[in-house]
Structures are given as C-alpha cells and as structure tokens.
Amino acid sequence: MERFNPELMQMALDLARENVESGNGGPFGAVVVRDGKVIAHAINEVIATDDPTAHAEILAIRRACKALGNYQLTGCEVYTSCEPCPMCMGAIYWARPDRVYYAATREDAAGSGFDDDHIYRECHLPVEKRTIPFVNVMREEAIQVFRDWDNNGLDIKY
C-alpha cells in the first residue's frame, strides 16, 4: 500500500484550481494512482459538458479503468480535492480502489453552494417518502432479465 503523497494531492488541487480559473467548471479535481504512477486524472466537467454525472472522480475512474483494461481499481488509490459526493462515493465503492485521500470536506463544499446533504438524507428514506417519486413498474419482467443473467453461464461478479 502506498503512503499518502502530498504531491499527488497537490495535483488534484491544482486541477481543481485550474478548472475554476478557466471558468469551465467546479472546484474539483481527482487523480487515480497505482504504484505511485498516475493512471488517470480529471476535473469536474459538469458545466462544460451539460452532464450532471461528469464529476472529477467519476471521469478519473472511467479513464483509469479504461487505461487498465479492468472495471475495478484494485491496487489503486484515489486523490480528490474534496470528499466525494454520494454519486462519486458509489462509483468509488463499485471500482474498489484500496484507498481514497480527500482534501476539503463535504461541509467545506456546502459552504460554497455544493450541498449534498439532501441526497444523503434521501438515501435513507423509504421510496414512497422521497422528494422525487420513484415508481416501481414491470417488476416481474425485470426479474426475468436477472434470471437470464443468472443462467447465462458467464458468472461475472461485480
């Protein structure tokens, strides 16, 4: 396991600062590292691409997985300029890096208008109490697709 490298965190912070100075996006940068080598890096591209999922961590994970030819980042570490939001945290857990280092906290981000607390609260609510309606339809048909997956013989575990 690598130890914290302040130069790699500084890279994430520099990416965030450059993004702010360019006027292209929010103050977020992320770097994925394996064995001390940068595999991928990214900035927040939400505004530039009109894509609400184009967070720095998501883009860095996508690029690192592509570079490594694997959908998991085992053996990697993520350096990010801010504590990941719920979406990015989910992506991080799916990618399975060994460790995440972050600089600013989610409370720091909230102070600048990047407040994700409502999302954290929604995750714990029963479906029927969420502020955006989630309506369960065609469940049996969907379950059949899962059965097809179970029986396809590929046995790929996420």
Side-chain angles (χ1 to χ4, degrees):
M1 173 65 60
E2 297 287 319
R3 296 186 66 151
F4 171 71
N5 183 331
E7 291 174 7
L8 294 168
M9 181 57 77
Q10 190 61 56
M11 181 179 181
L13 292 168
D14 289 344
L15 288 164
R17 180 177 309 284
E18 290 167 15
N19 206 36
V20 169
E21 291 172 354
S22 73
N24 289 327
F28 304 98
V31 180
V32 178
V33 179
R34 180 183 270 174
D35 298 325
K37 179 184 173 201
V38 174
I39 304 300
H41 59 80
I43 56 173
N44 177 286
E45 295 182 19
V46 170
I47 295 168
T49 62
D50 294 324
D51 179 353
T53 69
H55 289 201
E57 297 92 335
I58 299 287
L59 297 175
I61 288 168
R62 288 176 183 164
R63 292 172 186 163
C65 287
K66 184 170 183 155
L68 295 171
N70 194 321
Y71 60 90
Q72 294 188 342
L73 296 177
T74 306
C76 294
E77 296 178 324
V78 177
Y79 285 77
T80 182
S81 62
C82 188
E83 183 178 356
C85 74
M87 176 182 66
C88 293
M89 188 184 319
I92 287 166
Y93 273 91
W94 281 113
R96 295 178 176 87
D98 292 355
R99 181 168 293 163
V100 176
Y101 296 104
Y102 65 94
T105 66
R106 70 190 212 199
E107 293 82 11
D108 299 328
S112 290
F114 298 95
D115 191 355
D116 300 324
D117 277 346
H118 68 286
I119 300 171
Y120 286 102
R121 286 191 304 272
E122 290 281 314
C123 290
H124 297 286
L125 291 176
V127 173
E128 64 277 1
K129 293 194 177 192
R130 293 181 183 160
T131 57
I132 296 174
F134 282 65
V135 183
N136 185 218
V137 297
M138 298 182 72
R139 182 170 177 227
E140 288 305 317
E141 292 84 348
I143 291 170
Q144 184 56 52
V145 177
F146 280 104
R147 288 183 186 127
D148 294 345
W149 167 261
D150 293 339
N151 296 320
N152 73 4
L154 294 178
D155 197 33
I156 298 171
K157 302 295 180 202
Y158 280 73

